[in-house]
Amino acid sequence: MAIVKIPQQKLEALTQICRSHHNQAGELINVLHAAQQLFGYLPAEVQEVIANELNISLAKVYGVVTFYSFFTMLPKGEHPISVCMGTACYVRGAEKVLDEFRRLLKINIGETTPDGRFSLSCLRCVGACGLAPVVMVGDRVFGRVSPDKVPDIIHEFAPEYTV
Amino acid sequence: MPPTNYHLLVCAGTGCRASQSEAIVQALHEALEHHGLLSHVQVVRTGCFGFCEQGPVVKVMPDNTFYVQVSPLDAEELVAEHLVKGRRLRRLLYADPLTGHAIGDASDMAFYKKQIRVALRNCGFINPENINEYIARDGYAALARVLGELTPEDTIAIIKESGLRGRGGGGFPTGLKWELTRKAAGTQKFVVCNADEGDPGAFMDRSILEGDPHSVIEAMAINAYCTGASAGLVYIRAEYPLAIKRLRHALEQAREYGLLGENILNAGFNFDISIRYGAGAFVCGEETALIHSMEGGRGEPTVKPPFPSESGYQGMPTNVNNVETYANIPIIVLKGAQWFRGIGTPSSPGTKVFALAGKVNNVGLIEVPMGITLREVIFDIGGGIKDGKKFKAVQTGGPSGGCLTEKHLDVPIDYDNLLAAGSMMGSGGMIVMDEDDCMVAVAKFYLEFTVEESCGKCAPCRIGNKRLHEMLEKITSGHGVPEDLNRLRSLAQVIKDTSLCGLGQTSPNPVLSTLAHFEHEYQAHVNEGRCPAHRCKDLVHYVIDAESCIGCTLCARACPVDAIAGDKKQPHVIDAEKCIRCGACLEKCKFGAVLLT
Ligand SMILES: Cc1cc2nc3c(=O)[nH]c(=O)nc-3n(C[C@H](O)[C@H](O)[C@H](O)COP(=O)(O)O)c2cc1C
Ligand code: SF4
Ligand code: FES
């Protein structure tokens, strides 16, 4: 396992998060949410600190992190792209949109572009089914996306990309 | 006419916000300022109006004018015409798709005519971030009545008599559940609101929490009074940031007003609510899994009994109800059980909220009386199928449900009828499919979901669903054999019979119901290597009809892999070896020369 040292400042913020949840094992999921917000992802070192603080085994923390799809142990791209694969989006052609992102960015679901700009994932329903198919890039929601709009979306975040 | 008393209601639900409703609010403010009306007219951000298809929506009250697809650029004209000159801005009115006439008053729209709003009574009418607006519409009056006049037993009797059944999917009688929790022994009890809403393509609970969070808070307090609980928990999906924000805000306001906390309404009753976040696991909607997740662990279900009402959160009696179930409570307490029974059918009184989506014209959130038919929902409210295509099926109950077809269109919707028809009510997702959808691929889509979401605790679900999915993959990729259909059936039955929790017990339903109603489509895949809907990529072939092709070269230029050859003004040909079946040529061809076989 690669040893990533957590910068002192962030380490303090992390223990502070645990303390604000009273270092209680029952608050594990809330702690992980806050930690992922701080680090962007949950590498092993972060999980170790949390296990120590909440006085539970690292295996338990790891078990929870890997159970929930919201938590990730890999850093995401600068602009995380999520294609909605909920049923409403699926029947309105979300698969083709996803294929187009894969083709143009040359990455698969769960991967990040080598330059770290974009990562690609699927999610299930953001609740904007009226606008299906829906794509989220960071916090931005794009509705009624068709494959030919995919290059425009990429360009909006990375004008220098030639796609 | 001095334009006093006007209210401009702007939908600030997730859907409309995604299409700029926040910018519309800003633009309306600017326009009002420009006309010197800022102090006369209120702009209110409300919850969802339901008509998401035509969003962003702006409603003008009191004359109930409904403007659709509004853009920030329209704000100035809207204010100048409607508020200053007092006439409706026709350009932005909704045009009836049948007659083409512009409809001014929302209550004249077919979309709303057959709807009855009970659970959604305040959504789209009040500002969800202002507790006073909720109170002005009889908010917290039910809690006051219960605390002041009724015993817990009286209150439970009202709920029992109303016949309200759980809206989270199972349809368990709500009053009975409350009674069981009340009678269960325990030093402490809990009230839980299930806001996990995992069914993809459903957004009922989200809209209630975004549009009317206080109704849920009030109902949880009433429940606590009845069951003897002192603490409440809302378990909500992390994917719903706006609903979370509104709920937190509402909780703070309720505390400020003494409606949560100690000695509520001076009745010596103490109760407060905290929030727990989901982290993206569908199975956590199942109540035992939800409880384990709230305790900070993996969201794996456990065997029932014991039911949560006996032994739930921290081993204590816990009453779990769905968001929409709670939203019904205050109005039942105020208007009475008989009023509620007057809506719906005898075995399923009241209304149900559905998220209507897929291939219908009017995608949106609707609330209809139980007993309405699918035909009325899809064709009257939903405005029929998109692009004039033919209706094929509708899936209710999400990944646990089944598809219903043409022959079920006149079945009155209630819990029991949907079960009898091979589907289920579920939480309210309703996905409409048309002739272009391949039912085998749809079954595979749902199975993909189940395989991903199975918690893996028990073998039938973990392994069985994976095998089911593999068989469907085999069939849709053209390698299926006739025996596969019986294998599908028998494996599906084993999974249903032997899985531990509701997820596994219902996961084969999409396969079984598509097999029951669309066996001919499965047959075409396995016997003829053909996908009748042309959806399964490996079973469709693109060819160019030499007669219709004029050699315009558009398709050849659109093809991403250069699979199309041909000289200008000569018929083109597709190289089947190179073709990746992306469909680009089909979309580009203006002469209908690209055919699917
Ligand atoms: C796999 C699975 C997923 C479920 N998802 C939800 C859900 O998202 N929301 C919900 O309210 N109930 C869901 N339920 C039903 C709950 O277990 C429980 O029955 C319900 O919350 C009880 O509330 P009610 O009686 O008010 O419907 C789910 C059940 C299963 C088996
Ligand atoms: S049926 Fe599936 S989801 Fe339910 S406990 Fe078994 S493996 Fe988990
Ligand atoms: S299914 Fe995509 S937003 Fe709901």
Side-chain angles (χ1 to χ4, degrees):
Chain A
M1 183 167 54
I3 303 214
V4 180
K5 259 195 70 78
I6 307 174
Q8 189 61 26
Q9 205 184 354
K10 281 203 167 179
L11 187 66
E12 270 161 33
L14 181 59
T15 49
Q16 185 52 40
I17 287 173
C18 296
R19 239 174 286 141
S20 71
H21 290 90
H22 311 289
N23 289 34
Q24 268 182 8
E27 296 281 350
L28 177 58
I29 291 177
N30 286 344
V31 170
L32 291 173
H33 271 298
Q36 182 157 305
Q37 211 153 44
L38 179 67
F39 292 93
Y41 67 119
L42 297 168
E45 296 70 24
V46 169
Q47 296 180 38
E48 245 168 83
V49 174
I50 294 174
N52 276 332
E53 288 292 319
L54 305 193
N55 199 19
I56 46 182
S57 72
L58 180 56
K60 161 134 190 181
V61 178
Y62 177 76
V64 169
V65 169
T66 49
F67 184 83
Y68 295 97
S69 62
F70 205 83
F71 298 133
T72 167
M73 291 180 60
L74 296 172
K76 287 207 167 153
E78 189 186 334
H79 304 290
I81 299 173
S82 312
V83 180
C84 179
M85 274 294 180
T87 322
C89 289
Y90 169 79
V91 299
R92 284 198 183 176
E95 248 181 331
K96 285 194 173 166
V97 173
L98 179 64
D99 284 347
E100 191 66 4
F101 273 112
R102 279 164 46 176
R103 198 173 72 79
L104 293 180
L105 294 174
K106 303 186 184 65
I107 52 174
N108 247 317
I109 302 164
E111 293 179 353
T112 304
T113 50
D115 62 359
R117 298 294 295 275
F118 293 101
S119 54
L120 188 60
S121 63
C122 294
L123 52 72
R124 307 273 183 189
C125 194
V126 292
C129 316
L131 305 175
V134 171
V135 171
M136 278 184 86
V137 183
D139 294 340
R140 288 268 310 276
V141 178
F142 294 84
R144 305 200 173 97
V145 180
S146 54
D148 55 338
K149 287 199 193 140
V150 169
D152 297 344
I153 294 178
I154 295 174
H155 276 149
E156 207 175 315
F157 296 89
E160 74 284 6
Y161 265 48
T162 44
V163 289
Chain B
M1 183 183 60
T4 47
N5 286 334
Y6 272 126
H7 278 65
L8 298 175
L9 309 183
V10 182
C11 176
T14 297
C16 283
R17 275 169 72 105
S19 34
Q20 291 200 310
S21 73
E22 204 46 45
I24 295 172
V25 172
Q26 295 307 327
L28 284 172
H29 271 292
E30 280 161 27
L32 288 172
E33 184 157 24
H34 174 215
H35 289 274
L37 297 174
L38 212 45
S39 50
H40 299 286
V41 181
Q42 272 201 47
V43 182
V44 186
R45 293 179 183 84
T46 69
C48 180
F49 296 112
F51 206 30
C52 308
E53 180 76 40
Q54 297 281 335
V57 172
V58 176
K59 206 161 146 183
V60 185
M61 294 304 261
D63 52 67
N64 207 20
T65 306
F66 201 85
Y67 289 118
V68 297
Q69 298 189 345
V70 181
S71 106
L73 301 175
D74 297 323
E76 170 62 30
E77 196 182 349
L78 196 155
V79 170
E81 280 292 305
H82 196 132
L83 304 190
V84 178
K85 296 189 187 143
R87 55 186 191 215
R88 285 178 169 146
L89 180 58
R90 290 188 70 82
R91 173 171 81 73
L92 292 179
L93 293 176
Y94 172 68
D96 187 301
L98 291 179
T99 61
H101 290 310
I103 302 178
D105 192 322
S107 50
D108 293 331
M109 289 163 56
F111 182 75
Y112 287 111
K113 268 190 192 157
K114 292 198 168 169
Q115 295 200 43
I116 298 182
R117 300 209 145 200
V118 177
L120 297 178
R121 60 196 176 278
N122 294 323
C123 281
F125 290 99
I126 62 170
N127 175 353
E129 299 192 1
N130 185 346
I131 188 171
N132 290 322
E133 297 200 10
Y134 178 67
I135 292 173
R137 286 174 69 101
D138 286 335
Y140 291 103
L143 179 64
R145 168 152 194 251
V146 167
L147 293 182
E149 303 166 24
L150 302 174
T151 63
E153 287 84 359
D154 294 339
T155 315
I156 290 177
I158 296 176
I159 305 300
K160 274 176 93 171
E161 210 179 296
S162 75
L164 175 66
R165 297 171 68 172
R167 303 296 194 237
F172 191 82
T174 305
L176 185 59
K177 189 184 275 183
W178 290 25
E179 191 173 66
L180 290 172
T181 316
R182 174 170 179 76
K183 288 187 174 155
T187 48
Q188 201 187 358
K189 293 181 187 175
F190 295 96
V191 182
V192 170
C193 173
N194 186 345
D196 195 43
E197 193 155 62
D199 174 2
F203 49 99
M204 303 76 51
D205 297 346
R206 196 208 75 214
S207 297
I208 292 174
L209 287 172
E210 279 178 10
D212 192 18
H214 284 287
S215 66
V216 176
I217 298 173
E218 181 177 7
M220 288 177 73
I222 295 174
N223 176 284
Y225 173 72
C226 293
T227 56
S230 54
L233 299 143
V234 179
Y235 185 87
I236 185 166
R237 307 178 70 195
E239 289 89 337
Y240 284 177
L242 185 62
I244 292 172
K245 177 173 157 246
R246 299 235 167 106
L247 179 64
R248 282 162 80 158
H249 187 79
L251 288 172
E252 272 162 36
Q253 284 190 325
R255 276 181 210 122
E256 249 167 59
Y257 277 60
L259 296 162
L260 284 178
E262 308 249 304
N263 193 18
I264 294 169
L265 295 169
N266 283 325
F269 166 62
N270 307 329
F271 177 66
D272 210 332
I273 298 176
S274 55
I275 304 182
R276 289 296 142 92
Y277 304 101
F282 172 67
V283 71
C284 287
E286 198 280 336
E287 48 194 10
T288 60
L290 179 141
I291 286 167
H292 299 308
S293 179
M294 289 197 309
E295 292 168 345
R298 289 163 67 95
E300 286 170 359
T302 37
V303 183
K304 295 190 276 188
F307 289 91
S309 52
E310 302 154 55
S311 170
Y313 185 62
Q314 297 178 352
M316 296 296 168
T318 303
N319 185 91
V320 184
N321 275 129
N322 163 264
V323 173
E324 189 187 333
T325 314
Y326 282 124
N328 276 291
I329 299 288
I331 193 163
I332 293 178
V333 169
L334 288 179
K335 293 200 173 182
Q338 287 318 314
W339 166 82
F340 191 72
R341 294 202 79 98
I343 308 167
T345 66
S347 71
S348 309
T351 58
K352 179 77 193 85
V353 182
F354 289 103
L356 189 59
K359 305 278 182 64
V360 278
N361 279 315
N362 304 333
V363 167
L365 191 74
I366 63 166
E367 181 168 1
V368 290
M370 298 272 192
I372 195 170
T373 64
L374 280 170
R375 189 185 299 284
E376 289 172 284
V377 170
I378 296 168
F379 291 91
D380 297 345
I381 298 173
I385 309 300
K386 258 199 164 0
D387 304 326
K389 300 258 175 159
K390 202 165 161 298
F391 167 80
K392 186 178 212 172
V394 54
Q395 174 94 5
T396 63
S400 313
C403 66
L404 300 163
T405 63
E406 189 97 45
K407 72 173 190 235
H408 301 113
L409 279 178
D410 295 307
V411 173
I413 300 175
D414 70 12
Y415 290 95
D416 312 303
N417 286 342
L418 289 187
L419 267 183
S423 181
M424 63 185 263
M425 180 72 83
S427 55
M430 203 181 256
I431 308 282
V432 179
M433 287 168 264
D434 70 8
E435 54 190 302
D436 293 339
D437 289 303
C438 166
M439 299 315 285
V440 188
V442 165
K444 190 180 88 176
F445 169 79
Y446 281 113
L447 249 294
E448 220 164 82
F449 178 82
T450 322
V451 168
E452 213 169 282
E453 296 297 336
S454 162
C455 80
K457 182 168 174 168
C458 66
C461 168
R462 181 184 68 240
I463 303 171
N465 281 317
K466 182 95 186 142
R467 294 289 96 85
L468 268 189
H469 180 258
E470 281 167 6
M471 281 194 227
L472 291 169
E473 182 68 48
K474 183 176 159 204
I475 295 174
T476 53
S477 61
H479 303 292
V481 290
E483 297 83 75
D484 284 336
L485 303 195
N486 275 334
R487 284 192 201 124
L488 276 178
R489 276 198 188 90
S490 68
L491 178 56
Q493 201 55 48
V494 172
I495 297 173
K496 272 178 83 99
D497 291 345
T498 55
S499 287
L500 188 155
C501 86
L503 191 149
Q505 288 158 10
T506 57
S507 58
N509 286 353
V511 180
L512 289 172
S513 78
T514 48
L515 258 175
H517 302 305
F518 296 96
E519 189 174 340
H520 55 279
E521 288 197 18
Y522 282 83
Q523 299 281 10
H525 284 74
V526 295
N527 294 339
E528 304 160 34
R530 186 172 67 82
C531 172
H534 304 307
R535 233 335 164 62
C536 298
K537 264 190 181 181
D538 295 322
L539 298 179
V540 292
H541 305 281
Y542 287 83
V543 289
I544 293 175
D545 176 24
E547 300 271 292
S548 334
C549 177
I550 63 151
C552 72
T553 74
L554 257 185
C555 60
R557 279 180 279 149
C559 178
V561 291
D562 293 328
I564 304 180
D567 292 330
K568 227 174 179 174
K569 304 211 168 135
Q570 294 299 317
H572 284 44
V573 186
I574 298 177
D575 180 347
E577 291 280 299
K578 280 192 190 163
C579 173
I580 56 164
R581 304 171 173 113
C582 69
C585 50
L586 182 70
E587 267 165 41
K588 282 280 164 357
C589 182
K590 297 192 183 100
F591 307 96
V594 179
L595 304 178
L596 291 175
T597 59

